[in-house]
Amino acid sequence: MNNMLDFVFAVDDPLSWHKINMQKNKKHYSVLRFMGPKQITNIQNNYGAGVYYNTLVPCESQTIKYGVVSTKTLIEDLVHWKTLYIAGRLHKPVKILIQNENGKLQAALVKNLKSAVTAAFLMLPESFTEEELYIQIAAISYSGDFRMIIGEDRSKILNIVKANMPHFQKLYSTILQDSSQAVYKQHQGKIEIDKSPEGQFAQLMSLPRTLQQQITYLVDPPGKNRDVEEILLQVSQDPDCGLIVQQGFCYFLPSSGFEL
């Protein structure tokens, strides 16, 4: 049995998109179609990760599912990791079928990849292999998913990376070459990074806002109300800095798109 293909459509106007799609493909929707496109859009915007999924859709010789997300919601997740649902998926190689000339979206896609590299640097030792980096990056999207902590699902991340190494390299090689925090020995497949408190502080300050807030919540005792920069400076000097960042990811509850 083939794996189900998973598509995501980023659209500027979800209401108009659902109106047209419900006229053309009414059977793709569940019983929620009787509520109409306005309510479908409200559900999309106000529940889960801001993605509405139609599942088990027959397409030629196979079954697919597709999600719809507003461009605004997508950009917010890419830049700030509000839910990490779509942003986490885009840390891994995907096939972009059509992309318009939206400058904000283009910049957000690049920032999301840079943020993934930065977060991974903080959780890795001073020297590591390229494969170890991509395993750490691929694991980010599963943070908070209990299934990935125990059992056979842990091997899923390793399998994703091993089967897609050339695609990961294509996605991240330019970012690694341009990084001021790393020495990228491309021909050896090795990377060395700055683990000084100063280097870690710079990395912490460039993390997406939501992850910074979660690290702050984890470290700052209730009632002290110190600012984020002060707390991240403290974390950068902690021998367990990487572990604290990793624990910060645990506050990302497994969000999902709405499907029925």
Side-chain angles (χ1 to χ4, degrees), residues 2-220:
N2 293 328
N3 290 330
M4 187 184 302
L5 283 177
D6 186 349
F7 296 85
V8 175
F9 301 111
V11 300
D12 293 338
D13 185 349
L15 177 57
S16 296
W17 195 93
H18 283 298
K19 281 181 179 178
I20 295 169
N21 195 47
M22 289 183 78
Q23 290 171 358
K24 292 183 176 181
N25 302 298
K26 185 182 293 186
K27 290 184 179 179
H28 290 185
Y29 291 81
S30 67
V31 292
L32 294 179
R33 67 181 179 270
F34 296 111
M35 298 171 65
K38 187 174 182 180
Q39 287 304 315
I40 292 286
T41 304
N42 286 338
I43 290 170
Q44 175 184 317
N45 290 336
N46 296 309
Y47 294 91
V51 187
Y52 183 90
Y53 264 99
N54 284 325
T55 62
L56 301 175
V57 176
C59 181
E60 296 181 354
S61 60
Q62 62 185 106
T63 302
I64 69 167
K65 66 176 182 176
Y66 62 87
V68 185
V69 61
S70 75
T71 306
K72 180 181 177 182
T73 297
L74 173 58
I75 290 173
E76 188 173 48
D77 199 38
L78 292 170
V79 173
H80 301 301
W81 288 3
K82 185 176 179 181
T83 67
L84 202 55
Y85 181 67
I86 297 294
R89 289 177 174 219
L90 292 174
H91 291 162
K92 300 180 284 290
V94 298
K95 178 68 173 177
I96 297 180
L97 300 176
I98 301 173
Q99 188 172 350
N100 64 19
E101 298 300 319
N102 185 321
K104 286 185 177 180
L105 178 56
Q106 298 273 9
L109 287 165
V110 173
K111 180 171 176 54
N112 181 47
L113 296 178
K114 289 182 176 179
S115 295
V117 169
T118 299
F121 280 177
L122 285 160
M123 294 184 286
L124 286 164
E126 188 173 0
S127 179
F128 47 88
T129 66
E130 205 171 349
E131 182 179 275
E132 287 170 333
L133 171 66
Y134 300 141
I135 289 170
Q136 188 70 67
I137 288 173
I140 288 174
S141 62
Y142 296 105
S143 300
D145 189 342
F146 185 70
R147 294 171 301 169
M148 305 309 292
I149 299 174
I150 60 173
E152 295 182 2
D153 280 336
R154 292 183 66 177
S155 66
K156 181 178 180 180
I157 296 170
L158 182 60
N159 293 337
I160 288 171
V161 173
K162 283 188 174 295
N164 293 281
M165 271 297 289
H167 301 294
F168 273 97
Q169 289 170 327
K170 184 178 180 181
L171 199 58
Y172 289 102
S173 61
T174 300
I175 292 172
L176 292 173
Q177 288 166 359
D178 293 344
S179 174
S180 62
Q181 298 284 336
V183 176
Y184 178 34
K185 300 177 180 179
Q186 189 170 9
H187 297 298
Q188 299 177 27
K190 292 183 178 180
I191 302 161
E192 296 175 357
I193 56 174
D194 180 7
K195 298 297 285 186
S196 69
E198 294 79 11
Q200 292 189 141
F201 179 60
Q203 292 164 5
L204 288 163
M205 288 297 293
S206 65
L207 289 175
R209 182 177 64 200
T210 304
L211 181 55
Q212 287 182 337
Q213 291 171 342
Q214 290 173 175
I215 293 170
T216 300
Y217 177 80
L218 186 67
V219 173
D220 195 36

